[in-house]
Amino acid sequence: MEESSKAYVHSISGAGRLLPSADRWNSIEVDFGLIPTSSYSKEASPLMYTKSYDFRLSVQDKSHLKRFIYIFISLILVAAAAALLTALLPRKHAGGGSLSGLPLALDNALLFFDAQKSGFLPKSNPVKFRGNSGLHDGEWKQDNTSLVGGFYDSGNNIKFSFTTAYAITLLSWTVIEYSHKYAAFGQLEHVMDIIKWGSDYLLKLLITSTSSSEPESLFSQERGANDDDKVDNDIACWQRPEDMTYPRPVFKCKSSTADLAGEIIAALAAASLVFDQEDANYSTRLAQTSQTLYEFATKNHIKGTYSEDKDCGVQAANLYNSSSYKDELVWGATWLFLATGNLTYLSYATENFEAAVEEALPSDTGVFYWNNKVAANAVLLTRLRYLRDPGNPYEPTLKTCSDMANMIICSYLSTPNKFSMTPGGLIILQPNKSAPLHFAATAAFLSKIYGDYLNIINIPGASCGSEFFSRERLQNFARSQVNYMLGDNPMKMSYLVGFGDHFPEHVHHRAASIPWDGHNYSCSQGKRWRDAKESNPNVLLGAVVAGPDEDEGFLDIRNRPEYTEPTIAGNAGVVAALVALVDEPITPTTNGVIGGMDRDKIFSKINS
């Protein structure tokens, strides 16, 4: 039997080429004419195919064939090199604020916390320009304790207990409400790791009496600088955390710590709900420590803010000057009630809520951030009233909270509203402060989560006076603020580093601005990188910088932190807004999950 020079091929829609076929059915017979034709008659063949064609290939000039082969191989090599280069170069992610990019933005925003970790970093830490640092934190003079771990606050190398606790409270709240969303996008384990990194550190901050196990004070700040410091320190030095060799004294509050205690109470209580199913022992430890600290803060009638006490640290007063303390104690009591079901804590929260409102700065009305928890507390207690109403004697305060929540939302949406908007659409919640994006993020989060609460009870919207707002308006407002951050703004700038084609490249951040090249750089050497005009050698993926000014101008300058510095408190708000807005690929409607929100988890410790 003679060899055949024919082959059978078929095409696949979208493949753009012919592929070999195992048989003749639904294929094309190709005869290249390379082998002499058989004398066997085609007519004698038992089957005839209408899709049969003969092709004859002859080589007239071998030099042309060689040239063709060389060109063909060169094209393959160029394509392979391009593919490899694409894989190795830093990715410019889809931006423009498109909702299709929110899962990626959420992933990036969480990565910023990995870049801020202090202590012994696991080998799996995804930020490769960071290493172990602060390994002797807590070892200072008479204080010989371990304060290794936690997060560096921002572009400096200071660890603030207050903002760490705030960030952990907020992240925990998002996991309790939206754990199904985190899981759907593969981020649940990641965000829980971030929370545990922070809660592990917070557990170390209680200073107990030598004669009893009762707490007597709190660590508030790790390093920084005293007014009379003449030596190298975190403020004077521009140095990677891994290169620090200067002393790192700790600061502990001796007189007024009510606000700091309240925020840590809230963080530990909220985190206990996060780990309730995954690690019951750890969850119990968090809740019990939170209760111990609550007893310390309320029974001893501790008053005042931690930033009033110079022993708490100079930078605490300079950078995070707390203006009140009752809102944190009420915030902590609310979360302790949710974490334990103990009505004693709900009584404290409802009996002191009005006092917290009165103590807050007028300029903070409707603003949720590290210094003011009233707005968030009103929304959280409104959830309790709507879905698990405990009735009297709590009802009057809960009614006040739901009315306040409606007024807060109206202040974001109304035209004209309480807050001004830039021409590009960014809400200005604190006109005299920088970092407008961080305030806008928490406003977006409160708007969206409140809309989700309304969705659970199947209410189309709410009103304040004659003003009605639908759930759709809530979502649209939240989306507009997030879209602005991600590039839908006059600068066409994504303020989330690494997201989109145009983002800040000179972020005010020590570790990101100094090359990770195996060399240690001293304080004086580091200033070279601080003042350099070149882009940061390390992309601080996921950091949300402070953002534009009120005129929507932005200076991408490393030494202008009012534009280019990120913080863990700010990023926590952005993560909250992103996970609230992102849509699940498939939204379950069973087991108490409605619209991506877990209806019942937050009430799991409360008896029906």
Side-chain angles (χ1 to χ4, degrees):
M1 183 176 177
E2 293 185 40
E3 293 181 68
S4 173
S5 62
K6 299 174 182 178
Y8 300 98
V9 296
H10 66 278
S11 67
I12 294 178
S13 178
R17 62 186 186 278
L18 296 177
L19 302 174
S21 180
D23 56 38
R24 300 179 177 186
W25 295 107
N26 296 318
S27 62
I28 301 174
E29 180 182 317
V30 181
D31 189 338
F32 293 97
L34 298 178
I35 300 176
T37 306
S38 170
S39 59
Y40 185 74
S41 173
K42 291 182 181 179
E43 287 73 18
S45 175
L47 294 174
M48 297 295 296
Y49 304 98
T50 57
K51 296 180 180 179
S52 295
Y53 302 92
D54 289 344
F55 293 92
R56 296 185 180 277
L57 179 66
S58 61
V59 178
Q60 301 294 332
D61 189 335
K62 289 186 178 181
S63 64
H64 289 297
L65 177 61
K66 290 180 180 179
R67 187 179 305 165
F68 169 77
I69 293 173
Y70 292 151
I71 293 173
F72 182 70
I73 293 174
S74 298
L75 289 174
I76 292 176
L77 292 175
V78 169
L84 181 62
L85 188 62
T86 301
L88 293 177
L89 285 175
R91 290 173 294 173
K92 292 186 177 180
H93 301 312
S98 170
L99 279 178
S100 62
L102 291 188
L104 182 60
L106 175 62
D107 171 76
N108 289 358
L110 287 170
L111 284 172
F112 172 70
F113 289 92
D114 295 303
Q116 297 304 104
K117 286 180 177 178
S118 176
F120 292 96
L121 302 190
K123 292 182 179 180
S124 59
N125 193 59
V127 180
K128 300 307 178 185
F129 64 85
R130 287 297 325 285
N132 298 336
S133 63
L135 302 184
H136 298 285
D137 284 356
E139 300 174 9
W140 174 253
K141 294 183 178 179
Q142 72 276 14
D143 295 313
N144 190 16
T145 187
S146 174
L147 291 178
V148 176
F151 299 98
Y152 298 113
D153 178 73
S154 52
N156 56 50
N157 297 337
I158 307 175
K159 298 190 295 192
F160 289 112
S161 305
F162 195 46
T163 51
T164 297
Y166 166 79
I168 296 306
T169 307
L170 183 48
L171 291 177
S172 296
W173 188 6
T174 68
V175 173
I176 294 164
E177 302 282 28
Y178 297 116
S179 62
H180 291 267
K181 286 189 178 184
Y182 278 117
F185 292 103
Q187 296 297 336
L188 183 58
E189 184 178 348
H190 187 192
V191 70
M192 289 178 66
D193 171 75
I194 291 168
I195 292 170
K196 190 173 187 302
W197 194 273
S199 58
D200 281 349
Y201 181 74
L202 295 176
L203 288 170
K204 300 178 179 182
L205 300 181
L206 279 70
I207 306 170
T208 57
S209 171
T210 55
S211 59
S212 70
S213 59
E214 296 297 318
E216 60 179 14
S217 56
L218 290 167
F219 289 111
S220 67
Q221 178 182 327
E222 174 61 48
R223 202 37 181 130
N226 283 324
D227 287 334
D228 57 354
D229 264 356
K230 303 299 181 183
V231 297
D232 291 341
N233 57 65
D234 293 296
I235 300 300
C237 281
W238 191 267
Q239 196 172 27
R240 290 183 312 209
E242 295 79 6
D243 295 343
M244 296 183 300
T245 57
Y246 46 77
R248 285 175 60 81
V250 297
F251 296 87
K252 56 185 179 182
C253 303
K254 295 179 180 179
S255 56
S256 56
T257 60
D259 49 354
L260 177 58
E263 192 61 67
I264 296 175
I265 290 167
L268 297 179
S272 74
L273 286 171
V274 170
F275 295 100
D276 182 46
Q277 299 297 319
E278 288 73 15
D279 191 340
N281 291 335
Y282 185 67
S283 174
T284 299
R285 182 187 174 199
L286 292 172
Q288 288 177 346
T289 306
S290 181
Q291 293 177 85
T292 299
L293 186 53
Y294 173 86
E295 296 299 319
F296 163 71
T298 56
K299 285 190 175 181
N300 293 335
H301 304 290
I302 296 175
K303 297 181 179 180
T305 64
Y306 82 106
S307 52
E308 294 173 355
D309 184 358
K310 187 176 180 180
D311 290 329
C312 288
V314 175
Q315 275 66 49
N318 291 343
L319 300 178
Y320 295 105
N321 185 24
S322 177
S323 60
S324 60
Y325 66 90
K326 291 178 182 176
D327 60 317
E328 276 83 23
L329 288 177
V330 171
W331 182 237
T334 300
W335 278 109
L336 254 183
F337 165 66
L338 295 170
T340 65
N342 188 333
L343 289 170
T344 301
Y345 304 125
L346 181 60
S347 295
Y348 184 93
T350 53
E351 290 169 7
N352 291 277
F353 184 80
E354 287 289 351
V357 174
E358 293 173 3
E359 189 188 49
L361 295 173
S363 60
D364 278 352
T365 302
V367 185
F368 174 35
Y369 69 121
W370 55 264
N371 187 44
N372 183 29
K373 316 308 183 313
V374 171
N377 218 337
V379 171
L380 187 58
L381 287 174
T382 298
R383 190 199 207 292
L384 177 66
R385 180 172 186 252
Y386 284 171
L387 287 113
R388 194 66 64 91
D389 190 354
N392 288 322
Y394 318 104
E395 173 59 21
T397 298
L398 296 183
K399 175 66 165 59
T400 298
C401 288
S402 60
D403 290 343
M404 179 181 291
N406 288 340
M407 292 299 296
I408 290 169
I409 299 303
C410 277
S411 71
Y412 300 156
L413 304 178
S414 298
T415 306
N417 55 7
K418 176 182 182 296
F419 301 106
S420 62
M421 290 269 188
T422 66
L426 178 66
I427 191 169
I428 302 299
L429 293 152
Q430 293 281 9
N432 299 318
K433 296 181 180 179
S434 61
L437 298 179
H438 298 169
F439 300 117
T442 52
F445 169 66
L446 290 184
S447 298
K448 181 58 170 64
I449 200 170
Y450 190 59
D452 288 342
Y453 294 163
L454 297 176
N455 181 51
I456 288 177
I457 58 178
N458 201 26
I459 293 180
S463 61
C464 48
S466 60
E467 182 82 15
F468 175 82
F469 54 86
S470 64
R471 298 198 310 258
E472 183 180 8
R473 282 187 68 190
L474 293 176
Q475 175 156 319
N476 288 343
F477 166 75
R479 180 187 294 132
S480 71
Q481 299 308 296
V482 168
N483 284 353
Y484 189 102
M485 297 175 206
L486 300 183
D488 187 10
N489 56 66
M491 296 289 293
K492 302 303 178 186
M493 166 78 75
S494 168
Y495 295 109
L496 178 70
V497 176
F499 188 89
D501 294 325
H502 186 39
F503 51 82
E505 298 181 355
H506 303 81
V507 181
H508 182 90
H509 194 272
R510 286 158 172 78
S513 65
I514 300 175
W516 183 253
D517 55 5
H519 296 284
N520 291 343
Y521 295 98
S522 66
C523 286
S524 57
Q525 290 173 324
K527 293 179 180 179
R528 164 194 168 190
W529 308 109
R530 181 195 64 190
D531 301 330
K533 302 298 182 183
E534 294 81 12
S535 302
N536 287 355
N538 307 306
V539 177
L540 191 62
L541 191 63
V544 178
V545 297
D549 55 34
E550 291 182 44
D551 297 323
E552 299 186 295
F554 179 77
L555 298 178
D556 188 9
I557 299 174
R558 189 176 298 109
N559 219 16
R560 294 294 298 272
E562 68 272 27
Y563 292 101
T564 58
E565 186 170 27
T567 68
I568 58 173
N571 254 66
V574 173
V575 168
L578 288 169
V579 74
L581 275 169
V582 71
D583 291 323
E584 283 189 88
I586 300 176
T587 303
T589 56
T590 59
N591 299 322
V593 179
I594 301 173
M597 172 174 280
D598 193 319
R599 181 188 61 201
D600 302 318
K601 182 177 176 63
I602 201 168
F603 302 131
S604 60
K605 297 297 182 179
I606 301 174
N607 295 326
S608 301

